């Protein structure tokens, strides 16, 4: 149902290509370089997980892609965002809004504040069709019920007139997903879509997202700070630290052998079935203050491998088309 022939891209052509993106926030205390040269790409039918501790710039990058950055205080100071071949940063506001409405969709962490509390969910879902496709209210309501069925909300027909607060957290997140897929977008960005839910419901919602994505050629950017949810869902991972991407790799490669000490530290801090018997290690120290990011490698104050050379910008080591690591000691990390 979600497949459209024009979504199928020739091989090598990326759906979303973020290139060297820089975003700053001007605050009273100084300039926070929230995003500092981020590049990542997603192809049709692919899932990219963007991982990193709180404050690493995951959401700000997503907001820049969606065109919903808080401006001011935020400002894009460099880079390009290519979506289906056009640089979104060069589009006018009207063209941008059209892309955002129909081709790019976002799912937020907190469904309750993202949904309108005074409109029934059927009305909100239906508006996607009345506004964007000119359907009548009655037709739109029928489509709303279909969508609710599709995201497996029980008794959709009876519940289409209910309000957001009448649904559980997990069901509300399903409604958010239904809104996002309504117009069959080419790309969905899901920003910590399951963080507010309990573990069982988290797994169900992730499974639903993964399934919808598998059935279509939709691209998915999945933002999370939970490496545990990534394994079964994503194709590639981009690991962010202090506004930069420190490692990108195929999921299976990163689990096998991380090439950046920060990724390794993240992996060591989650329980894993394949590492039974080994204790968990929390990452020591705190992420840097965004107003005072250390020069060179920003992870250096917390890194067990750090040496003097780390005060200089680490080279981006490429060991394959999809594998990059920004570490002077990537080789030692891989071997360790
Ligand atoms: N409106 C704003 N004004 C000032 N600084 C901001 C604003 N929004 C974000 N920032 C700063 O940008 C940096 C990146 O924030 P971002 O929200 O992208 O982090 P994140 O990786 O999504 O973290 P989390 O996992 O907590 O959601 C942070 O240091 C944050 O303080
Ligand atoms: Mg965030």
């Amino acid at each position: 149902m979600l497949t459209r022939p024009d979504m199928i891209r020739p091989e090598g052509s990326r759906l979303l290509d973020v290139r060297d993106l820089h975003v700053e926030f001007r605050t009273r205390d100084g300039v926070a370089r929230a995003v500092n040269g981020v590049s990542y790409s997603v192809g049709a039918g692919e899932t990219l997980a963007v991982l990193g501790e709180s404050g690493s710039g995951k959401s700000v990058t997503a907001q820049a892609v969606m065109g919903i950055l808080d401006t001011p205080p935020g400002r894009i100071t460099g880079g390009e965002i290519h979506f289906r071949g056009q640089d979104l940063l060069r589009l006018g506001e009207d063209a941008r809004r059209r892309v955002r409405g129909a081709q790019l969709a976002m799912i937020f962490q907190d469904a309750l504040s993202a949904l309108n509390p005074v409109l029934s969910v059927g009305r909100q879902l239906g508006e996607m069709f009345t506004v964007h496709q000119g359907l009548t209210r009655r037709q739109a309501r029928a489509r709303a019920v279909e969508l609710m069925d599709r995201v497996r909300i029980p008794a959709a027909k009876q519940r289409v007139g209910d309000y957001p607060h009448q649904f559980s957290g997990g069901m509300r997140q399903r409604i958010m997903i239904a809104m996002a897929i309504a117009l069959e977008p080419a790309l969905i960005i899901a920003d910590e879509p399951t963080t507010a839910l309990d573990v069982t419901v988290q797994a169900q919602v992730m499974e639903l997202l993964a399934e919808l994505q598998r059935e279509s050629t939709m691209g998915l950017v999945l933002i999370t700070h939970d490496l545990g949810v990534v394994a079964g869902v994503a194709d590639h991972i981009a690991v962010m630290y202090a506004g930069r991407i420190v490692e990108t790799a195929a999921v299976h490669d990163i689990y096998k052998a991380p090439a950046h000490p920060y990724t390794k530290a993240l992996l060591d801090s989650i329980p894993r079935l394949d590492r039974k018997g080994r204790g968990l290690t929390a990452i020591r120290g705190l992420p840097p203050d965004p107003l005072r990011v250390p020069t060179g490698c920003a992870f250096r104050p917390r890194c067990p491998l750090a040496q003097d050379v780390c005060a200089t910008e680490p080279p981006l080591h490429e060991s394959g088309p999809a594998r990059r690591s920004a570490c002077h000691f990537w080789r030692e990390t891989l071997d360790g």
Side-chain angles (χ1 to χ4, degrees), residues 26-305:
R26 283 166 191 270
T27 70
R28 251 183 320 181
D29 304 319
V31 177
R33 297 203 162 76
V35 177
N36 220 334
V38 162
S39 302
Y40 62 56
S41 67
V42 191
E46 284 180 3
T47 297
L48 171 76
V50 178
L51 203 83
E53 276 167 302
S54 189
S56 55
K58 307 180 297 292
S59 296
V60 170
T61 306
Q63 287 157 11
V65 172
M66 288 299 294
I68 56 169
L69 189 70
D70 226 351
T71 317
R75 202 160 65 95
I76 295 176
T77 54
E80 294 166 17
I81 300 173
H82 292 261
F83 176 66
R84 306 180 111 181
Q86 57 184 174
D87 186 355
L88 295 181
L89 299 182
R90 288 168 178 273
L91 289 185
E93 195 37 52
D94 279 353
R96 194 75 203 270
R97 201 172 311 120
R98 279 196 297 275
V99 170
R100 181 160 66 236
Q103 300 183 55
L104 262 175
M106 189 151 174
I107 300 169
F108 298 92
Q109 175 180 334
D110 181 3
L112 197 52
S113 60
L115 293 167
N116 187 334
V118 300
L119 291 183
S120 72
V121 300
R123 179 75 186 277
Q124 289 180 68
L125 285 168
E127 266 178 9
M128 302 295 291
F129 302 107
T130 52
V131 172
H132 291 276
Q133 296 182 346
L135 299 195
T136 64
R137 286 275 289 272
R138 182 202 261 300
Q139 289 166 330
R141 199 178 172 87
R143 294 297 300 277
V145 173
E146 267 174 45
L147 273 175
M148 288 169 73
D149 268 333
R150 189 160 164 71
V151 297
R152 303 220 195 79
I153 291 173
K157 220 176 185 149
Q158 286 80 54
R159 301 213 62 187
V160 67
D162 286 356
Y163 292 83
H165 73 270
Q166 294 173 288
F167 291 84
S168 68
M171 287 299 151
R172 275 198 295 268
Q173 202 52 285
R174 284 169 192 267
I175 292 161
M176 284 281 292
I177 293 173
M179 299 261 277
I181 63 170
L183 301 176
E184 304 181 6
L187 182 79
I188 291 185
I189 301 180
D191 192 355
E192 315 235 13
T194 61
T195 308
L197 308 173
D198 69 55
V199 180
T200 322
V201 181
Q202 237 176 42
Q204 290 163 357
V205 171
M206 274 320 302
E207 184 41 46
L208 171 69
L209 253 183
E211 192 184 304
L212 292 169
Q213 196 267 343
R214 275 196 300 269
E215 290 168 359
S216 69
T217 55
M218 180 175 89
L220 178 64
V221 176
L222 176 66
I223 299 173
T224 175
H225 54 239
D226 183 353
L227 238 168
V229 309
V230 169
V233 181
D235 304 298
H236 289 92
I237 297 191
V239 180
M240 285 191 74
Y241 191 79
R244 291 171 193 262
I245 292 193
V246 294
E247 179 166 4
T248 55
V251 170
H252 51 90
D253 286 339
I254 233 165
Y255 277 90
K256 232 184 325 177
H260 193 285
Y262 176 60
T263 316
K264 187 172 184 318
L266 279 179
L267 281 167
D268 289 343
S269 68
I270 57 158
R272 289 172 64 184
L273 289 174
D274 57 338
R275 297 277 169 95
K276 256 194 174 155
R278 288 211 216 167
L280 297 182
T281 333
I283 307 178
R284 61 177 183 160
L286 292 171
D289 175 345
L291 296 171
R292 283 168 212 79
V293 177
T295 54
C297 174
F299 188 56
R300 145 169 81 97
R302 306 170 74 185
C303 181
L305 299 182

Side-chain angles (χ1 to χ4, degrees), residues 7-15 43-44 46:
M7 279 184 190
I8 298 162
R9 314 301 298 163
E11 209 169 88
S13 131
R14 316 299 290 165
L15 193 55
E46 284 180 3

